[in-house]
Amino acid sequence: MTKFRLLINLLIVAIFISSPSTLALPSLNSAPNDDVIAGIKALHRAPEKEMARLKLLLASQQPSPKRHEWNYLYALGKEKRGEYSDALAYLEDCINDPYTEGLMLQRAKMLKAKVLSNTGDAQSAIAILNSVKRWAMNHNVIQLNIGALMTMGYTFERITEPKLALDNYLLAYDMATQFKTQVPAPHIAGLIGTVYLQLSQYEDAKIYLDEAYRYAVKKGNAVTQGYFAQKIASVERELANFVEAEKFYDLTIGIAEKNKDTPLLARAYLGKGKLLLDRGSSEEVISAARANFEKAIMLSQPQESKRIYFEALMAFSRLLLSTGNTAAAIEKVKAAENAIRDVKPGYLHLEAARLKLTIMEAYGDEQSIVNALKQYISLNETVTESLDKSRLQVIRTLYELEEIQEENSSLKAITQLQADKLALNNQRSFLLLVVTSLFVLLSILLFFMYAKRMRYQRKLEKIATTDSLTRMFNRGKTIELLEARMNELPHKSNKCAVAMLDIDLFKTINDKYGHCVGDDALKLFAATAKQNFSASVDMGRLGGEEFLFIFQGVDVSETVKQLETFSQSLKDASIKALGGEIKLTFSAGVLLLTEAQGISSVLEKTDAALYEAKETGRDKIVVFTCL
């Protein structure tokens, strides 16, 4: 966050805190975590099992203060299955339950809005979501606010308003980034990237889809990984990054086949076919693209949703048209039209009519062209009229005309005296705002001065505990860390291994090549160690060419294995970095700690093991054993 954004946020927070109207607000609640959240997670993990459990609970008909929660969760499961009528019925039971209040009521209303959106009632859905957002803002429930914004975005997507959907998703993403919530920001990033893809803003789409894909890989979620891999492949294809696009299409195909995800597999074959045509037009390429389109058609035809089937038929028709096979091209267009015959006329119908007109204009007779043109004009008028009505409904809802009319009626009833009082109150509020703003600016100035002081203090602490040459911990800090790790042993029942390392023949390097080369060798040792060991290994320089490494939670064999790997890496790195004449090696003594010991005892034992390693030939690791 930049200083400017921080300044603005602090100013807003301070104004709200100082305002009398906001003193009674509850504290910030960024991520409620209760039985309902646990139930939602259970529905994600094992939907069939959880739905069966909820059905038994609801069938008991016994009064319970938890029944409204069961109704909500069962409705959520029904919504996930696409059983919207049942979902609405259980939601009404939840909303009308006397125990349903506060956050629970708003959750139920938000889910109801999503169901209404899925059934085509966008106007009612948006009105409900506006009320949920107001409640969330008034009660500072960040999680609910994010959920309302995401559902609002989903609703706008359903009525083909991607820009409005994007605005809501971006607001939700910013809030999820700033606060710890149940919905991770990368999940919302996937929604944002998908909308950017619809808007043909491919560079922006790539940024957000990459974030969502990396998160899916990190979490090991193969389903979402395949979904976002296919989206990224589409973006890379549009950006003409054909090699990357093919890689992601092949990755998607592999994931879809493994998960038996037929719709995803069909989309991947369809996209790969289009990619092949983008890269060339030879007979071999056309044959390969045709094979991919045929696979997509075969896979998508039995599916309930005919969108992929329609797109595959249209792509195949264009391919046939490009090869001069007009009869087959027309046949595929008609099959595509038939696939969406039960869908309300929209852009898909218009796309099919346009392609049919293109084929007729190139190869058809005059009457066929006229008929295709009439069909296209008629569909265009129907779709345009439908979109205009949808936009009007959205605008009416967004501006909440009913509330505005009520507000106007109330204003007419205000007397002149009341208006004068209102103006006086406004003046007082303005003066309060000015005073508050000055106070806030002073507070912010003090905050930045404090922050600057803390930065300097941290910098001084770092200087005091860091070796200036190797950037590792210095001796004092290393001994302090060793003592702390030993003090943790009895409480954590943990293991801790200590290794003392000494660079072999370091004095010879200094004498033969000079101290500058010796310094470079120490820096290389430190840099290679940081690359080889995780953050759980504390590393410090005791002095000269001697170092102490502290390994947490590992046994001796694992410690030795890590040191051996580091030894080989150091040899390879020194040959490359130090001119080939110097091959850095080290000797090490290792001690396993299972209980706290004196610092001097630990150092003596590791030093004894190190001495044995050097005396018996160097470039080796010796584990201390009691005699």
Side-chain angles (χ1 to χ4, degrees):
M1 183 182 291
T2 64
K3 288 186 177 180
F4 177 74
R5 284 185 64 188
L6 181 62
L7 186 68
I8 295 299
N9 287 339
L10 287 172
L11 179 62
I12 293 172
V13 170
I15 289 175
F16 273 100
I17 291 175
S18 303
S19 173
S21 62
T22 60
L23 287 174
L25 287 179
S27 60
L28 186 69
N29 186 355
S30 60
N33 194 1
D34 52 21
D35 292 343
V36 175
I37 296 297
I40 294 171
K41 291 179 178 178
L43 278 172
H44 282 297
R45 286 193 303 268
E48 297 303 323
K49 181 180 178 181
E50 184 65 11
M51 287 294 284
R53 185 185 75 86
L54 291 167
K55 186 176 181 179
L56 284 175
L57 289 171
L58 291 169
S60 67
Q61 296 298 324
Q62 294 181 0
S64 170
K66 291 285 186 180
R67 176 168 289 274
H68 66 296
E69 294 183 2
W70 304 337
N71 275 315
Y72 170 80
L73 292 170
Y74 199 62
L76 178 61
K78 289 287 186 179
E79 186 271 332
K80 296 291 184 187
R81 293 177 176 178
E83 300 172 13
Y84 301 128
S85 297
D86 289 345
L88 277 175
Y90 284 101
L91 280 171
E92 291 300 333
D93 288 344
C94 174
I95 291 171
N96 294 325
D97 193 300
Y99 286 101
T100 308
E101 58 184 5
L103 177 60
M104 189 66 239
L105 178 60
Q106 303 307 315
R107 285 169 167 162
K109 289 168 66 177
M110 186 166 66
L111 181 56
K112 180 179 179 180
K114 187 174 182 181
V115 175
L116 290 173
S117 174
N118 282 319
T119 57
D121 191 356
Q123 186 173 1
S124 298
I126 295 172
I128 292 172
L129 290 169
N130 277 334
S131 69
V132 173
K133 283 169 60 180
R134 281 195 296 270
W135 189 94
M137 287 187 290
N138 290 337
H139 292 79
N140 292 324
V141 184
I142 304 300
Q143 170 88 6
L144 182 67
N145 206 340
I146 292 174
L149 287 167
M150 291 173 65
T151 309
M152 188 81 82
Y154 173 80
T155 303
F156 282 128
E157 279 196 270
R158 296 282 297 179
I159 58 173
T160 324
E161 291 289 347
K163 291 184 178 179
L164 292 174
L166 186 61
D167 289 341
N168 283 274
Y169 286 150
L170 287 170
L171 282 172
Y173 178 82
D174 286 342
M175 294 179 74
T177 303
Q178 293 181 50
F179 301 100
K180 183 180 179 182
T181 66
Q182 301 292 340
V183 181
H187 176 73
I188 308 173
L191 302 175
I192 295 170
T194 302
V195 177
Y196 272 132
L197 180 57
Q198 295 170 8
L199 293 171
S200 301
Q201 296 177 231
Y202 302 118
E203 293 290 353
D204 292 324
K206 183 177 179 179
I207 293 170
Y208 287 99
L209 289 172
D210 278 344
E211 180 182 350
Y213 173 76
R214 289 195 302 272
Y215 185 77
V217 172
K218 178 181 176 182
K219 292 295 183 180
N221 190 330
V223 175
T224 52
Q225 183 184 347
Y227 173 80
F228 290 122
Q230 185 266 325
K231 295 289 185 184
I232 292 172
S234 299
V235 170
E236 297 289 9
R237 182 174 70 83
E238 295 292 348
L239 293 172
N241 299 328
F242 297 135
V243 175
E244 283 295 303
E246 185 172 12
K247 182 183 79 173
F248 276 101
Y249 276 130
D250 289 338
L251 176 62
T252 305
I253 290 170
I255 293 173
E257 288 177 341
K258 183 178 180 181
N259 295 337
K260 298 180 180 179
D261 190 338
T262 305
L264 180 63
L265 187 59
R267 281 203 176 278
Y269 278 125
L270 174 59
K272 190 169 182 180
K274 292 178 180 179
L275 173 66
L276 289 169
L277 294 178
D278 288 342
R279 300 181 72 172
S281 57
S282 65
E283 290 185 9
E284 184 181 354
V285 168
I286 290 174
S287 176
R290 178 181 184 129
N292 279 278
F293 291 152
E294 287 174 342
K295 288 179 183 177
I297 291 170
M298 179 187 68
L299 290 165
S300 58
Q301 186 174 9
Q303 299 300 311
E304 183 177 348
S305 173
K306 297 299 180 183
R307 177 65 181 265
I308 309 173
Y309 182 52
F310 169 85
E311 292 178 3
L313 287 167
M314 292 289 287
F316 199 5
S317 177
R318 293 189 182 94
L319 174 61
L320 293 167
L321 176 61
S322 69
T323 61
N325 192 348
T326 56
I330 284 291
E331 179 187 340
K332 296 302 178 187
V333 171
K334 289 181 179 178
E337 289 179 322
N338 187 54
I340 56 172
R341 66 181 182 277
D342 297 330
V343 180
K344 182 181 177 182
Y347 284 121
L348 298 183
H349 301 79
L350 203 57
E351 182 184 353
R354 186 185 297 112
L355 180 56
K356 185 189 290 184
L357 177 59
T358 301
I359 298 172
M360 293 304 176
E361 286 177 339
Y363 301 100
D365 55 43
E366 185 175 341
Q367 186 58 47
S368 298
I369 296 172
V370 171
N371 291 339
L373 182 60
K374 286 181 178 178
Q375 181 189 7
Y376 177 76
I377 292 172
S378 175
L379 269 173
N380 190 45
E381 290 176 351
T382 302
V383 172
T384 302
E385 182 181 355
S386 175
L387 289 175
D388 289 342
K389 288 181 179 178
S390 296
R391 288 191 178 94
L392 180 60
Q393 288 180 345
V394 172
I395 292 172
R396 285 175 59 86
T397 305
L398 288 174
Y399 284 94
E400 301 176 344
L401 294 181
E402 292 182 1
E403 290 190 12
I404 293 175
Q405 290 172 356
E406 291 178 4
E407 183 178 349
N408 289 338
S409 299
S410 299
L411 287 173
K412 291 178 183 178
I414 298 176
T415 62
Q416 187 62 44
L417 178 61
Q418 289 173 323
D420 292 340
K421 288 182 178 180
L422 182 62
L424 181 60
N425 287 334
N426 287 338
Q427 292 176 3
R428 289 174 177 172
S429 299
F430 176 74
L431 290 174
L432 177 61
L433 180 62
V434 171
V435 173
T436 303
S437 299
L438 291 173
F439 172 75
V440 168
L441 289 174
L442 178 60
S443 300
I444 292 171
L445 179 61
L446 293 173
F447 170 80
F448 280 120
M449 291 174 64
Y450 174 76
K452 187 174 182 180
R453 178 184 174 187
M454 292 301 295
R455 281 199 304 272
Y456 280 126
Q457 184 173 340
R458 286 194 295 269
K459 188 174 181 180
L460 289 172
E461 288 175 357
K462 187 172 183 180
I463 291 172
T465 59
T466 304
D467 177 62
S468 59
L469 181 62
T470 62
R471 312 310 299 169
M472 286 182 165
F473 292 126
N474 60 19
R475 181 183 181 89
K477 182 63 176 179
T478 306
I479 299 301
E480 180 185 327
L481 288 171
L482 177 58
E483 186 174 7
R485 299 296 176 247
M486 286 195 298
N487 290 337
E488 292 172 356
L489 291 176
H491 305 291
K492 293 187 175 182
S493 299
N494 206 344
K495 294 179 290 187
C496 175
V498 180
M500 186 178 290
L501 287 71
D502 187 278
I503 299 175
D504 295 327
L505 302 175
F506 184 73
K507 185 176 184 303
T508 304
I509 296 174
N510 274 337
D511 294 342
K512 185 175 181 180
Y513 300 100
H515 287 281
C516 288
V517 175
D519 288 348
D520 290 340
L522 290 170
K523 291 177 183 177
L524 179 64
F525 179 91
T528 308
K530 290 175 183 177
Q531 293 172 0
N532 273 263
F533 296 105
S534 66
S536 63
V537 179
D538 299 319
M539 297 178 286
R541 182 184 180 193
L542 296 180
E545 67 275 20
E546 197 170 59
F547 299 84
L548 192 71
F549 289 8
I550 306 169
F551 298 80
Q552 301 175 52
V554 296
D555 55 23
V556 169
S557 61
E558 178 61 26
T559 302
V560 171
K561 183 179 178 181
Q562 291 186 37
L563 288 171
E564 288 173 345
T565 302
F566 168 47
S567 176
Q568 186 59 49
S569 299
L570 181 62
K571 292 172 186 176
D572 296 340
S574 62
I575 292 172
K576 293 178 183 178
L578 300 177
E581 296 182 10
I582 301 174
K583 183 169 75 172
L584 284 183
T585 63
F586 65 83
S587 301
V590 178
L591 172 67
L592 178 66
L593 297 175
T594 56
E595 59 184 14
Q597 303 181 30
I599 296 295
S600 58
S601 174
V602 172
L603 294 178
E604 286 175 6
K605 291 175 181 178
T606 51
D607 187 56
L610 172 60
Y611 179 78
E612 181 181 344
K614 298 184 78 68
E615 286 297 308
T616 55
R618 296 189 177 88
D619 188 16
K620 60 168 58 177
I621 301 162
V622 173
V623 179
F624 178 84
T625 55
C626 295
L627 298 177

